[in-house]
Amino acid sequence: MYGSERSRSASHQSYEMLRDKILNGELQGGTKIVEEKIAAELGVSRTPIRESIRKLEYEGLIVNKRVVKPTEKDLRNMFQVRILLEGYSAQCAASYIKEKELEELLACVEIGRNGEVEEIMKANERFHEIIVQSSNNPVMIDIIDRMQSTIYLFRKTVVFYNRPHLIDEHEQIYEAIKERDGQKAEQLMKSHLQADLEFCLHLIG
């Protein structure tokens, strides 16, 4: 492996390990990120750690060298963007989604009802991802993709604390998309995300 490829590989591995430590709660909100300490823990030089931190800052998981600790305002701001973009994505999906993706949406709903916590988390993420991808709008897909790590933190909250009616709402959104009713799908998605926001606010309040 050439030097630049090795460096890229170390940087990517460091990024994934650091991101996972944040997402699984090992590095909690407010924790100061010290390059030397993280490099020693992961067994790499400081250069890939510096690159990893830059990427995690871009994704919103690290702010001012500290693990993000979202405030109520941060939460509201992020959900406002999600409500607008994912609501519109649901409307588009009703027009553009293919049969294969419809079947996968239904499978996500079924896993949501019967799966283990980790399976439900993945199915929940995939449900939203399919709808966003079906928007056929690469700019919108990219914006939401950049938010995914932060979204994961909140998704973990609503799944682990078992938000009521979560899967029922997914099923209603699926039905509206299947019926090709874009307006209904958009409204249901917006209401669904608003309920997620209110649930998270209640937990941190």
Side-chain angles (χ1 to χ4, degrees):
M1 191 184 286
Y2 296 105
S4 62
E5 285 178 13
R6 194 160 46 238
S7 166
R8 243 195 326 269
S9 172
S11 173
H12 186 69
Q13 284 181 339
S14 302
Y15 157 75
E16 288 191 332
M17 286 190 282
L18 197 48
R19 182 198 60 193
D20 289 348
K21 279 176 179 286
I22 294 170
L23 295 181
N24 68 22
E26 205 176 316
L27 286 171
Q28 295 190 339
T31 303
K32 187 170 172 54
I33 298 295
V34 181
E35 287 177 13
E36 297 91 333
K37 188 179 171 203
I38 298 289
E41 280 177 16
L42 301 185
V44 295
S45 72
R46 286 173 61 183
T47 302
I49 295 300
R50 209 168 292 132
E51 289 169 6
S52 303
I53 290 169
R54 264 202 298 273
K55 189 167 182 188
L56 291 163
E57 283 174 338
Y58 178 72
E59 291 179 1
L61 283 182
I62 293 176
V63 178
N64 297 327
K65 295 288 193 294
R66 288 186 183 274
V67 176
V68 70
K69 192 173 186 178
T71 63
E72 182 177 320
K73 188 180 177 190
D74 294 332
L75 194 56
R76 288 184 188 278
N77 288 343
M78 190 191 75
F79 269 91
Q80 278 172 0
V81 174
R82 285 192 69 196
I83 286 165
L84 284 169
L85 297 186
E86 292 196 43
Y88 183 67
S89 294
Q91 185 193 89
C92 294
S95 299
Y96 300 128
I97 200 165
K98 296 181 172 60
E99 199 58 41
K100 183 170 171 281
E101 280 75 33
L102 263 177
E103 288 170 9
E104 202 178 343
L105 277 185
L106 181 58
C108 289
V109 171
E110 287 166 354
I111 291 167
R113 293 208 185 282
N114 307 308
E116 300 295 322
V117 171
E118 282 303 319
E119 292 172 325
I120 295 169
M121 282 278 294
K122 284 181 183 156
N124 191 337
E125 180 179 7
R126 184 65 186 140
F127 182 87
H128 285 268
E129 183 183 41
I130 292 165
I131 291 170
V132 170
Q133 294 284 341
S134 297
S135 71
N136 282 352
N137 184 324
V139 177
M140 195 149 63
I141 291 165
D142 183 57
I143 292 168
I144 293 176
D145 190 52
R146 278 175 54 191
M147 297 167 65
Q148 279 307 327
S149 292
T150 317
I151 289 169
Y152 177 90
L153 291 174
F154 299 120
R155 180 171 289 128
K156 192 163 69 169
T157 302
V158 298
V159 171
F160 281 146
Y161 286 93
N162 198 18
R163 176 169 86 71
H165 313 302
L166 181 75
I167 306 305
D168 294 337
E169 290 163 20
H170 276 192
E171 187 165 12
Q172 289 163 7
I173 293 165
Y174 157 75
E175 291 291 349
I177 291 172
K178 185 183 172 189
E179 290 161 12
R180 306 292 175 183
D181 189 337
Q183 280 192 316
K184 186 177 179 185
E186 179 174 16
Q187 195 48 55
L188 286 168
M189 178 62 84
K190 285 181 170 181
S191 300
H192 169 66
L193 291 171
Q194 184 65 37
D196 275 357
L197 170 61
E198 285 165 11
F199 188 76
C200 287
L201 287 172
H202 171 71
L203 286 174
I204 67 172

